[in-house]
Structures are given as structure tokens and as C-alpha cells.
Amino acid sequence: MRMGQAVEWTLHSCLNLGWVDHPVSTARLARLYGLPAAYLNKQLQALVRAGILTSVPGPHGGFRLARNLEHVSLLDVVVAVEGPDSAFRCTQIIRHGPGGRPDVDYRSACAVSQSMRRAELAWRRELAARTLADVAADVTRQNPDAPGHIRAALAR
């Protein structure tokens, strides 16, 4: 399974927004990591549509968290950016293979499909169990100065 780079960008953006108490423009967030602002903005808008961020208009506007970090799972962000579709798509190719039958729904009868769905369910459960607050706590444990550095970089 491969996620797009926007997942990494939006996860970091959410963590950074969790460490400031004011809206931050896309341009400022993008400059932190040398990202293209227009593409980052598109991804942040997806988080607004998902209710993870809010967009604040005006000269001192930008984005801020709509919910506390404790109430945003990693899965929430992944689904907002990548969409809700399953990573594995069973196209029922065995229907056309030796012994395949057109009257069987192989999406539920195929051992490959069942295995892939179980694996994806485990992956989604793990992402759902971890919140952005959990990740922020890990970051702070590994680098206690990180929140202060972000606050300084994003100061108005």
C-alpha cells in the first residue's frame, strides 16, 4: 500500500497547527518544509471539508484545527486526503480463470480478497487507534524543543 505525499504534509501541518493558537496561512505552513503552497492548500481544503480544520478568511486568516488533536485520528487524516475507498480492489479475475463461475461473487469468496481485506482492516484499526495527540506526545518526548521551534517559526 502506498499513500501519497499529501498524507505526510497534512499530518505535519495538523501537528504544527496544534502547537499554535492562531490561524496560519498556507504559505507559512508550506515554507516550513519547502512545499508547494498551492498543492498544500488543496490538501488542507480537504481537511476543512472533513471537519478537521477550519479556514479563517482575512489578512490574518489561514487554517486552524477544528477539533482538538485528541479527537483526530491518523485514519481521519488519511481518509480526508486519500478518500474512503479500499486500497485493495478485487476485480474478480478468477471468475475468468480455470474453474471460475460467473454466478459467484469472488469479492467475498476469494481467499486472496479475504486476506487483503483482513490486512487492510488491521491497518485501518491501527490508524484509527492513534490520534494526532498521541503523535504530538511522541514528538515532544523525542524532541522537547519541537513545539517551541514551530511556535517561533509560525509567529505572526
Side-chain angles (χ1 to χ4, degrees):
M1 175 175 313
R2 182 177 179 152
M3 288 180 271
Q5 60 191 358
V7 171
E8 178 185 14
W9 298 2
T10 54
L11 286 168
H12 280 284
S13 293
C14 286
L15 289 172
N16 294 337
L17 291 170
W19 286 321
V20 297
D21 61 356
H22 56 84
V24 180
S25 71
T26 302
R28 285 193 109 140
L29 288 168
R31 270 196 308 271
L32 283 177
Y33 304 110
L35 304 174
Y39 187 65
L40 178 60
N41 188 64
K42 179 181 173 188
Q43 304 311 317
L44 296 177
Q45 290 296 335
L47 297 183
V48 170
R49 287 188 296 278
I52 296 169
L53 299 181
T54 59
S55 179
V56 179
H60 296 290
F63 293 94
R64 68 180 330 147
L65 289 172
R67 301 185 251 162
N68 292 333
L69 293 177
E70 299 83 26
H71 301 293
V72 181
S73 73
L74 297 180
L75 183 62
D76 292 334
V77 175
V78 170
V79 169
V81 173
E82 296 282 318
D85 295 339
S86 296
F88 179 78
R89 289 166 187 79
C90 177
T91 60
Q92 304 190 71
I93 65 169
I94 62 174
R95 183 179 274 175
H96 307 290
R101 294 181 24 205
D103 62 324
V104 175
D105 182 354
Y106 288 103
R107 291 172 296 198
S108 58
C110 172
V112 169
S113 183
Q114 291 170 354
S115 295
M116 295 303 290
R117 290 188 195 288
R118 276 194 305 273
E120 183 165 349
L121 182 58
W123 175 78
R124 286 179 179 267
R125 280 186 181 140
E126 181 64 25
L127 290 176
R130 295 272 300 160
T131 68
L132 289 174
D134 296 329
V135 177
D138 291 346
V139 170
T140 303
R141 257 191 308 282
Q142 294 170 7
N143 184 357
D145 297 331
H149 290 306
I150 293 300
R151 280 192 282 282
L154 296 177
R156 290 190 193 181

